[in-house]
Amino acid sequence: MTKEDVKGAAAEEEQQTQSKKALKKQQKEAEKAAKKAEKQAKQTVEQQNADEDDFAKDRYGVSPMVQSQQKLDRVLVRVEELTPEKADQLIWVRARIHTSRAKGKQCFVVLRQQQFNVQALVAVGDRASKQMVKFAANITKESIVDVEAVVRTVEQKIESCSQQDVELHIERIFVISQAEPRLPLQLEDAVRPEGEGDEEARATVNQDTKLDNRVIDLRTTTSQAIFRLQSGVCQLFRDTLIKKGFVEIQTPKIISAASEGGANVFTVSYFKTSAYLAQSPQLYKQMCICADFDKVFCVGPVFRAEDSNTHRHLTEFVGLDIEMAFSYHYHEVIDSITDTMVQIFKGLRDHFQTEIQTVNKQYPSEPFKFLEPTLRLEYTEGVAMLRAAGVEMGDEEDLSTPNEKLLGRLVKEKYDTDFYVLDKYPLAVRPFYTMPDPSNPKYSNSYDMFMRGEEILSGAQRVHDAQLLTERALHHSIDLEKIKAYIDSFRYGAPPHAGGGIGLERVTMLYLGLHNVRQTSMFPRDPKRLTP
Amino acid sequence: MAMYQVKPFGGGDIIHLPTCMYRLPNIHTQTVRCADHVLQNGEIDTGLKALEERQDEILRRLWELKAAVDGLAKTVTTPDADLDATTVPPSPASASTFRGSVDLDSLLGRDLGALRDIVINASPSRPPLCLLVLHRLLCQRYQVLSSVHVHSSVSSVPPKLVNCLGLRRTDNFQRQRFQLGFTLIWKDVPKVQMKFCVPTMCTIEGEANVARFLFRLLGVEPQDPAMATMIDSWVDTAFLQLAQGGAKEQATVVHALNDSLSRSPWLVGAEYSLADMACASCLLQTGAAKSGLVNVQRWLKACQNLGHFNFIHALLQ
């Protein structure tokens, strides 16, 4: 046999196989087409059946988009008000679909509204048809629905819901706003406590994923509780200070010069020049005191361009700042500030227990303890306590973060308090505007306050004399030209004053015993995150 | 022949150069003559004597110091090993002798720069009256920084309890300047607790035990072990039977008090002691003092006359 022959034979074989393959293909296609046709026929038959039997067609469906077409005289009941008192009433509820589960002729749906949820039921009967049950089971999670239902009491408590004594029997259900079928994260996973052990490796959601999809993450019961508590902190702060006779001020955030002389400020372009974002409202608080406002506080954003990627630093946070003129001793100001903090803690303890318990379900922690009046230790005492515990440090050395935490633990062991003040810091570690101690030039009239061993407030008696301020600035090698405006404000009679500021997010985080400040900041900003 | 001849000057005699620098009279050839030699002997004797006396003085002082250091070493290392109970005089020094902070250093350990703060946690539903009485006595003896705090576990405390150690200080003070700190925290605890030096000491629980600790800080505990045991026994009776017992037990204790007080003005020995403080405070707190037994009433009056108990009535209302 020649090569050509072989080739020819092979080609023939190929052709044959090809034709075989082609045949097979054709056969398959034919089968597919047949199946499709069958299916379509079935569907049309079903559709006809469905259309025929669907007597409940107008009791469910997707509503047209609410473009304020009409004013309905309908009262929507809040889920938290669904109690056995409303038994057998027909009411309308607007809530989200938390979960839905179909079981034969019934569909169980959990409707959620903020921290509260209630079980609802669609069952085939004289009010609902099979198609309605199917529709209810297919509504995507997180969609907002309007439901008309009868409230019924149940014999057995529904443990998984917040409204445990009642159940809704749905008569009408309409989708107001539909959610996409694939959610970036599941809410049950976001609420699940971490570290349940290796037997049950159920999924929890990464913090970055949560922060990227903040809108969904904020819907969880834990997040709702955290931010309601944070709102409580802010409100208690304002109320307590207003009662004490303080005036709330608003200070500018675009400033011309970095007041603290640090490099940690953001620059913004300001027409033909550039300006800075305020690192703290300190300068303006003090000017208000010199302007005879006596006691001021301000709540506003603070911008720190520190490249610190830690669990407790943000580049933008809400600062709650206090400044107060005093009569003879700066301890008057410390007493006022600590009393404000204690009132805030008491208010949270007495009125926000449900929120604290909700957060503890996902992030368990010890309840926050404090003493009234607040414990005040001196810096030398703190150093002696640390030395007794084996830490070596100099008399005028600043406390490092691990030392602060250790001191917090020692104080907690002895006095059983999570909140205390450390008074009389060494002068060398404080900024130039801190008033030195009159009896000992190595120390200063400055103080720090700690919660759970972490610093929340740094304050001091300020130097209110222009000459001493100039001396101190020169001592710290600060360019006097840059702070000329600051020094000028003390040249026309300034009262002795002191103050301090706290970070709202950090205080909330430490009160609840959480471990990352991003959990208490709604849309956190740090060196790596600018959106959402 | 010589060129120049110089006439000799001076005598031509041989000059004897001396070989002896100093010459003393030979003492061995001297005859003993009292009048002459007393002076010499006296000089030598007084010189020597003075030297000897000085040496003796120095040696004596050295011995004294050595004895003192040995004594101190013994008391620090083995406090009671050398003490023979039969040789120690029975009545201790009176309670009012001032001993100063040196005692605190030996009792509580060296002052490292931190205020020696005694922290007492008590429940506001059962104020520890005995400890408040002891606080008054401590204030008389040492410079004490007292403060009262209310813990977050308790929602509110009546003002009389908040001010039970005196009104809050408003002056400028440094915590370091005080010898002792007394911090009372009103907290929701089942038993009175005391914390002092957390790294080295565990918590002391029970009002009786804390009372014993504070009493020993006063330094007036009797050295006689028999008396010390009697005091301990009365303290136990007071806190276990009188404060916590039923009506029958309380009545028995009151009768026992009556019997004991018929023999002496105070419960133990001739001095006011912890036993009296403990029994009186428990009696006043439980209200069993209304029994009307003569000796008990007299003794209660005597306690109140001492001045430490005045404030208790205000607290008990």
Side-chain angles (χ1 to χ4, degrees):
Chain A
M1 271 215 271
T2 57
K3 275 196 193 164
E4 285 138 354
D5 287 339
V6 167
K7 266 198 202 163
E12 269 187 36
E13 282 179 18
E14 274 181 33
Q15 276 182 359
Q16 281 186 346
T17 46
Q18 266 181 3
S19 58
K20 271 197 198 163
K21 276 191 190 165
L23 265 176
K24 272 195 182 167
K25 244 194 189 173
Q26 280 176 352
Q27 275 182 348
K28 273 197 181 160
E29 278 179 24
E31 280 176 20
K32 260 198 193 168
K35 272 195 187 164
K36 232 186 181 177
E38 252 188 76
K39 240 195 190 172
Q40 272 188 351
K42 240 196 195 171
Q43 272 187 359
T44 39
V45 165
E46 271 187 21
Q47 201 69 19
Q48 283 172 353
N49 281 350
D51 284 340
E52 283 167 19
D53 293 341
D54 194 3
F55 54 90
K57 217 180 352 180
D58 57 344
R59 285 208 277 273
Y60 67 94
V62 179
S63 278
M65 182 166 62
V66 176
Q67 277 183 301
S68 308
Q69 299 95 324
Q70 47 178 327
K71 289 189 186 176
L72 276 181
D73 191 16
R74 196 187 278 171
V75 173
L76 295 174
V77 178
R78 310 267 320 159
V79 169
E80 65 185 298
E81 292 165 15
L82 294 176
T83 52
E85 289 159 355
K86 287 200 159 56
D88 302 325
Q89 285 180 28
L90 186 66
I91 44 111
W92 279 92
V93 173
R94 175 175 292 183
R96 281 188 195 273
I97 302 274
H98 186 65
T99 50
S100 63
R101 189 176 80 237
K103 233 172 159 190
K105 289 199 175 169
Q106 290 177 329
C107 174
F108 287 96
V109 166
V110 175
L111 296 172
R112 186 189 82 236
Q113 198 178 53
Q114 291 174 345
Q115 307 103 303
F116 305 99
N117 45 17
V118 67
Q119 183 165 284
L121 164 61
V122 192
V124 175
D126 56 343
R127 304 293 296 164
S129 64
K130 238 187 336 188
Q131 294 83 351
M132 184 166 158
V133 173
K134 193 161 162 217
F135 173 78
N138 286 336
I139 306 180
T140 49
K141 278 191 191 173
E142 294 301 299
S143 301
I144 302 181
V145 292
D146 266 359
V147 162
E148 185 185 34
V150 181
V151 182
R152 298 264 187 241
T153 51
V154 285
E155 303 90 31
Q156 250 190 340
K157 278 200 178 212
I158 304 170
E159 295 292 324
S160 56
C161 293
S162 69
Q163 312 304 105
Q164 295 181 338
D165 303 318
V166 293
E167 191 180 57
L168 292 177
H169 290 211
I170 297 181
E171 308 219 336
R172 288 202 263 182
I173 178 164
F174 295 102
V175 176
I176 301 296
S177 174
Q178 205 159 23
E180 280 184 23
R182 288 183 66 94
L183 295 171
L185 58 96
Q186 297 296 323
L187 264 82
E188 296 97 48
D189 295 340
V191 175
R192 192 166 291 132
E194 279 188 49
E196 280 191 349
D198 293 53
E199 310 102 35
E200 275 202 30
R202 314 263 300 286
T204 52
V205 185
N206 200 3
Q207 182 167 281
D208 275 333
T209 321
K210 281 196 210 177
L211 293 176
D212 287 334
N213 301 291
R214 202 52 163 160
V215 167
I216 304 184
D217 180 50
L218 285 174
R219 292 181 194 170
T220 56
T221 47
T222 315
S223 299
Q224 293 274 322
I226 291 177
F227 291 103
R228 275 167 212 289
L229 195 120
Q230 191 162 315
S231 157
V233 171
C234 211
Q235 186 215 340
L236 286 162
F237 182 79
R238 278 209 169 92
D239 287 347
T240 316
L241 287 175
I242 299 271
K243 266 193 232 152
K244 286 184 198 265
F246 279 70
V247 175
E248 183 170 3
I249 60 170
Q250 304 296 338
T251 61
K253 306 298 171 215
I254 311 178
I255 58 179
S256 61
S259 58
E260 300 225 7
N264 305 334
V265 280
F266 288 112
T267 318
V268 289
S269 64
Y270 196 75
F271 302 108
K272 296 219 171 63
T273 59
S274 49
Y276 303 98
L277 289 179
Q279 209 186 14
S280 85
Q282 170 104 0
L283 165 60
Y284 296 98
K285 283 192 296 180
Q286 291 187 256
M287 283 174 153
C288 282
I289 300 290
C290 297
D292 278 350
F293 276 95
D294 211 40
K295 300 193 235 192
V296 296
F297 72 96
C298 75
V299 178
V302 170
F303 303 95
R304 299 256 168 104
E306 265 178 73
D307 197 3
S308 306
N309 291 300
T310 69
H311 70 280
R312 59 187 201 158
H313 282 102
L314 293 171
T315 49
E316 179 188 348
F317 60 92
V318 177
L320 307 173
D321 284 271
I322 302 176
E323 198 79 16
M324 189 175 134
F326 59 84
S327 316
Y328 294 104
H329 201 285
Y330 74 99
H331 281 175
E332 297 163 36
V333 179
I334 295 190
D335 286 342
S336 191
I337 298 181
T338 51
D339 185 55
T340 309
M341 297 302 297
V342 165
Q343 294 306 320
I344 293 178
F345 299 145
K346 276 190 182 173
L348 293 176
R349 175 192 72 187
D350 295 337
H351 303 298
F352 287 85
Q353 271 304 320
T354 26
E355 278 78 6
I356 298 175
Q357 297 306 322
T358 314
V359 176
N360 273 344
K361 269 196 235 156
Q362 186 174 357
Y363 301 107
S365 76
E366 295 269 325
F368 190 79
K369 298 191 193 142
F370 54 93
L371 295 176
E372 184 188 4
T374 306
L375 181 66
R376 189 171 70 224
L377 302 177
E378 283 174 13
Y379 190 78
T380 41
E381 226 179 311
V383 171
M385 283 170 83
L386 284 172
R387 281 188 184 140
V391 173
E392 286 179 16
M393 60 180 289
D395 279 336
E396 287 183 69
E397 210 183 299
D398 200 4
L399 290 176
S400 63
T401 317
N403 282 349
E404 280 177 6
K405 292 217 170 104
L406 176 60
L407 186 59
R409 274 204 297 276
L410 294 171
V411 169
K412 175 89 191 261
E413 269 175 15
K414 188 159 180 186
Y415 298 92
D416 200 22
T417 172
D418 286 312
F419 176 63
Y420 69 99
V421 183
L422 206 57
D423 190 19
K424 298 276 184 203
Y425 265 67
L427 186 59
V429 301
R430 300 307 260 194
F432 73 98
Y433 50 75
T434 312
M435 181 69 87
D437 188 353
S439 47
N440 187 344
K442 282 199 193 157
Y443 290 96
S444 60
N445 291 353
S446 64
Y447 43 88
D448 270 8
M449 299 193 189
F450 297 87
M451 274 173 72
R452 293 195 202 251
E454 294 197 30
E455 179 204 315
I456 56 153
L457 181 145
S458 207
Q461 176 183 355
R462 326 285 186 199
V463 174
H464 60 278
D465 177 64
Q467 196 187 346
L468 179 58
L469 194 56
T470 319
E471 274 173 38
R472 297 292 312 153
L474 288 171
H475 184 266
H476 279 257
S477 319
I478 294 180
D479 187 2
L480 286 177
E481 275 307 304
K482 289 214 174 121
I483 52 169
K484 185 174 177 311
Y486 179 58
I487 297 182
D488 281 346
S489 38
F490 299 107
R491 283 169 57 197
Y492 310 111
H497 58 283
I502 58 174
L504 178 63
E505 288 90 350
R506 207 186 264 196
V507 168
T508 314
M509 166 182 88
L510 291 170
Y511 186 84
L512 291 170
L514 300 172
H515 295 291
N516 198 310
V517 74
R518 290 162 188 75
Q519 291 168 323
T520 51
S521 174
M522 214 164 239
F523 300 104
R525 292 281 173 269
D526 63 36
K528 300 214 160 50
R529 177 172 291 278
L530 263 182
T531 55
Chain B
M1 201 163 101
M3 193 182 246
Y4 297 105
Q5 203 160 9
V6 177
K7 286 188 187 150
F9 55 90
D13 312 1
I14 301 168
I15 304 171
H16 290 282
L17 290 173
T19 55
C20 177
M21 201 171 218
Y22 299 112
R23 200 166 265 274
L24 275 179
N26 197 337
I27 55 174
H28 293 295
T29 57
Q30 280 176 3
T31 53
V32 178
R33 277 194 342 188
C34 295
D36 277 343
H37 290 287
V38 157
L39 209 59
Q40 284 180 347
N41 281 342
E43 269 178 18
I44 296 167
D45 279 351
T46 47
L48 260 178
K49 245 192 191 157
L51 190 61
E52 279 176 14
E53 273 170 26
R54 281 206 305 278
Q55 276 187 343
D56 284 334
E57 180 68 40
I58 289 174
L59 280 173
R60 194 173 41 244
R61 273 165 57 194
L62 270 174
W63 270 114
E64 273 175 25
L65 276 172
K66 185 168 183 291
V69 169
D70 279 342
L72 273 175
K74 271 194 195 154
T75 51
V76 167
T77 54
T78 55
D80 293 310
D82 295 25
L83 287 179
D84 189 355
T86 53
T87 60
V88 170
S91 56
S94 69
S96 55
T97 50
F98 174 74
R99 288 225 218 147
S101 65
V102 176
D103 292 313
L104 271 183
D105 275 340
S106 61
L107 285 170
L108 295 175
R110 205 167 52 86
D111 182 357
L112 287 170
L115 175 69
R116 281 182 287 229
D117 202 358
I118 300 175
V119 177
I120 296 183
N121 298 328
S123 170
S125 54
R126 280 221 66 211
L129 300 177
C130 188
L131 302 184
L132 299 175
V133 172
L134 282 163
H135 168 258
R136 291 287 162 107
L137 287 171
L138 277 172
C139 286
Q140 284 175 0
R141 154 132 337 173
Y142 304 111
Q143 289 167 315
V144 181
L145 174 64
S146 328
S147 36
V148 179
H149 296 273
V150 176
H151 193 261
S152 56
S153 55
V154 173
S155 48
S156 75
V157 162
K160 63 181 183 192
L161 286 181
V162 174
N163 295 326
C164 63
L165 295 184
L167 288 172
R168 213 180 148 198
R169 298 183 78 101
T170 50
D171 57 337
N172 186 12
F173 62 88
Q174 252 203 331
R175 282 171 69 99
Q176 299 287 81
R177 298 278 161 85
F178 290 88
Q179 292 170 303
L180 208 55
F182 193 98
T183 305
L184 179 60
I185 300 181
W186 293 114
K187 192 175 163 184
D188 187 16
V189 277
K191 276 180 154 187
V192 172
Q193 288 175 342
M194 190 197 99
K195 297 191 197 200
F196 180 58
C197 181
V198 178
T200 53
M201 227 173 85
C202 67
T203 320
I204 295 184
E205 287 203 359
E207 198 178 336
N209 298 323
V210 181
R212 288 187 183 110
F213 178 85
L214 293 177
F215 185 65
R216 280 164 197 164
L217 279 184
L218 288 170
V220 293
E221 213 190 11
Q223 305 281 41
D224 176 21
M227 281 180 64
T229 318
M230 288 267 311
I231 293 183
D232 264 342
S233 149
W234 277 116
V235 169
D236 274 339
T237 313
F239 283 108
L240 294 175
Q241 293 177 307
L242 198 50
Q244 293 172 20
K248 244 190 174 176
E249 267 187 280
Q250 288 176 357
T252 339
V253 173
V254 174
H255 279 290
L257 279 174
N258 202 33
D259 289 336
S260 177
L261 288 167
S262 59
R263 287 174 290 221
S264 68
W266 302 108
L267 280 174
V268 177
E271 295 282 332
Y272 175 67
S273 68
L274 179 63
D276 302 290
M277 281 184 247
C279 291
S281 15
C282 288
L283 208 55
L284 287 170
Q285 200 161 24
T286 57
K290 300 172 191 155
S291 55
L293 290 169
V294 177
N295 293 324
V296 172
Q297 294 298 335
R298 173 186 48 84
W299 164 73
L300 275 177
K301 258 255 148 54
C303 285
Q304 281 161 19
N305 284 342
L306 281 174
H308 313 301
F309 276 79
N310 293 342
F311 66 99
I312 287 198
H313 285 286
L315 279 179
L316 283 173
Q317 247 94 62

